[in-house]
Amino acid sequence: MKSYSSEIEINHLVEVNWVDRWQVYQRLEELNIPCSCAANQPLKVEISNPTAAVQLWSVVRRFTASRQDQIWTLECCWKSRYQQF
């Protein structure tokens, strides 16, 4: 008898520039997020929980956001964390 988990497994096709696709794939593998990457095909990623969704977003953003956007995000995080009231 098959046991059912409360987690839902959903496969997503992630459109990533073909130059960055392999690096995104490798990072997701390091994070133990199930994914597959066939030649000339979009990256397929299995998202089974909110943590995996955030990790996917973060990894893709790392390769798609401009350097200035990444600097701005980091500065905002630092300000909200260490700003004196």
Side-chain angles (χ1 to χ4, degrees):
M1 185 172 209
K2 184 177 179 180
S3 65
Y4 290 94
S5 170
S6 61
E7 296 179 348
I8 299 173
E9 294 179 1
I10 300 175
N11 290 318
H12 294 278
L13 295 178
V14 180
E15 294 293 333
V16 180
N17 182 314
W18 69 272
V19 174
D20 299 325
R21 186 177 56 195
W22 181 246
Q23 289 180 297
V24 171
Y25 168 79
Q26 287 181 313
R27 183 62 185 133
L28 294 174
E29 285 282 306
E30 290 170 356
L31 294 169
N32 294 320
I33 297 175
C35 56
S36 62
C37 184
N40 299 319
Q41 297 295 317
L43 179 64
K44 293 180 183 178
V45 182
E46 185 178 295
I47 302 299
S48 60
N49 58 59
T51 301
V54 171
Q55 287 176 319
L56 171 62
W57 172 82
S58 178
V59 169
V60 170
R61 189 173 191 291
R62 177 176 153 202
F63 291 98
T64 59
S66 70
R67 178 174 165 76
Q68 189 57 46
D69 285 345
Q70 292 182 24
I71 290 169
W72 180 82
T73 301
L74 184 59
E75 287 174 347
C76 287
C77 290
W78 276 94
K79 285 178 184 176
S80 67
R81 172 92 170 131
Y82 296 106
Q83 187 175 28
Q84 297 294 327
F85 293 99

